[in-house]
Every structure is written in structure tokens, then in C-alpha cells.
Amino acid sequence: TYADQSGEKTQTFDACVIAVPPKPALKIFPQMIKDQKAYFESIEYSRSVNVHLGLSAAPKNHPEMYMMVPKCECPDITTVFLDHHKAPDRAPAGKGIISTFLRAEWCDANYETPDDKVLSEVIGKLRPYYGDLESEIEDKVVQRWEYCALMITPGIFKRMSVYNRAIDPKARVHLAGDFAPFSSINTAVVSGEKAARRVIEKLQGRA
């Protein structure tokens, strides 16, 4: 059952895969297996605030594709990507793109901070490496990810093992996402493929 602009609707399926972050999954499917539910209730994700700048010219004397910033130099920036070096079509000829990723503590503290203040602060943090960028900025995007990366806390891998052992291949509802073992696109893809395979085997009577 779901609601859209035309109202509430109900559809019936033989099986399905729920591929959303754990918190929404708990609301969608509260009747999930006990051990899986316990794992979903226990895990946390970091939040992320990323800043992307489109520049009128690529920064000079910076042939690197990315730079990892030591915490002793800047306590807030983790990595800076010069996206125009990733592939020829990432930016118009001669122009540049800088993407800045920041540490979880800074992101959590600034998740609700207005875009203009985030931009001003991050541009200031980039100044020691790329100089004054303000006059070269043609476009800017502040990107916020509520579910960025799974937080690795004591005991999580034990709980993860319990979760995996609890999976019932005969179940009609399966879960997929980047919640085990580490958050990444690859993790999500593999998880989705496994869930889809279980559904196929279930519907074909092989489970």
C-alpha cells in the first residue's frame, strides 16, 4: 500500500525486494525477521555535506586527479577531487570542477547549515591549496547525503553475521542495500543481485 498524488493505492505481488536504507526499511516492513530487524535498529550511517564548484578555468599546476588532505593540515576536509581530470567530457575544455568531501563530524555539525555559509567556509578551506577561487566560480552545488556511509562500531560485524545467517531464502520479501559489510556502490549491487536471485529461485520453486 502506498500513496501518490491520486491517493492511496494497494498492489499485490508474489515477492519483492526492498532496497532502501535501514530506517525507511523498518517502517516499510516492520514484520521483518527478528535478527534482521535487530541489526537494522542497531546500525547508524554518517551524513555527508559535499561541495562541488564549476570553475571558469582549471587550477594551474594541479595535474593530480585528487588530493587526500592530512588532518594535521585541515581537520575538516578528507578529499578533494579535480573532476575535470577524470575524463575529457567531465568539463568544457579549459574549465575545471572541484569536488570537496568533508569529515563526518563537520558534516554532522553543518548538515542544516545554509548553502551560502557552507560554500563560504569550504571555499576558505580550499584557499591554501588553490588560492582565491571566488572570481572563477561559474556554478556551485552543495550536496547533502542523509545516508552516506555505514558507521563501523564495536560488535557490528558480529551483528552483521547474525543478520546474514537469519536470511530465509524461501521468504517472499528480501532486503538489499549498502548495509553490509561496507557502504559502496559495489556492496549495493552485489546485495541487490543476491536478493534478486533468491526471489527468482523462490518463484521458480527452487528455494
Side-chain angles (χ1 to χ4, degrees), residues 22 39 43-46 147-153 156-158 160-161 163-164 176-192 194:
Y39 175 64
I43 59 178
E44 295 182 13
Y45 277 73
S46 63
Y147 301 99
C148 177
L150 180 67
M151 301 290 283
I152 304 303
T153 56
I156 190 170
F157 293 111
K158 182 177 181 179
M160 202 179 290
S161 295
Y163 168 91
N164 286 323
D178 66 350
F179 45 78
F182 299 102
S183 297
S184 70
I185 292 175
N186 184 67
T187 297
V189 169
V190 171
S191 174
K194 288 181 177 179

Side-chain angles (χ1 to χ4, degrees), residues 1-199:
T1 300
Y2 65 96
D4 60 17
Q5 294 179 347
S6 62
E8 190 173 282
K9 298 179 180 178
T10 298
Q11 292 181 300
T12 302
F13 301 92
D14 293 326
C16 75
V17 175
I18 298 175
V20 298
K23 284 187 178 179
L26 287 165
K27 294 180 180 179
I28 294 170
F29 189 50
Q31 64 270 44
M32 67 177 64
I33 296 170
K34 180 182 176 181
D35 288 335
Q36 292 180 314
K37 186 175 183 180
Y39 175 64
F40 271 27
E41 289 175 338
S42 72
I43 59 178
E44 295 182 13
Y45 277 73
S46 63
R47 299 193 293 181
S48 186
V49 180
N50 316 317
V51 174
H52 308 274
L53 304 174
L55 307 176
S56 59
K60 295 181 180 179
N61 302 318
H62 283 281
E64 69 276 7
M65 188 178 75
Y66 67 92
M67 173 180 66
M68 299 180 72
V69 181
K71 209 168 186 178
C72 61
E73 286 189 11
C74 179
D76 300 320
I77 295 177
T78 60
T79 315
V80 180
F81 280 87
L82 282 72
D83 292 299
H84 51 278
H85 288 320
K86 288 183 176 179
D89 61 350
R90 290 299 177 99
K95 298 194 176 186
I97 303 175
I98 291 181
S99 295
T100 307
F101 298 87
L102 298 112
R103 299 189 191 281
E105 297 83 3
W106 188 93
C107 293
D108 194 52
N110 290 276
Y111 196 77
E112 304 295 340
T113 301
D115 286 2
D116 57 349
K117 187 173 180 181
V118 168
L119 285 163
S120 176
E121 186 169 342
V122 172
I123 290 169
K125 295 179 188 298
L126 293 173
R127 190 169 290 116
Y129 310 103
Y130 303 103
D132 293 323
L133 296 172
E134 287 91 340
S135 62
E136 299 179 20
I137 297 174
E138 294 186 339
D139 199 6
K140 49 191 179 293
V141 174
V142 176
Q143 190 177 43
R144 300 169 197 268
W145 298 341
E146 184 176 357
Y147 301 99
C148 177
L150 180 67
M151 301 290 283
I152 304 303
T153 56
I156 190 170
F157 293 111
K158 182 177 181 179
R159 297 194 300 274
M160 202 179 290
S161 295
V162 173
Y163 168 91
N164 286 323
R165 289 196 298 269
I167 295 173
D168 179 6
K170 297 181 180 180
R172 295 175 59 208
V173 179
H174 289 276
L175 307 169
D178 66 350
F179 45 78
F182 299 102
S183 297
S184 70
I185 292 175
N186 184 67
T187 297
V189 169
V190 171
S191 174
E193 288 177 340
K194 288 181 177 179
R197 195 177 305 121
R198 293 186 193 106
V199 167

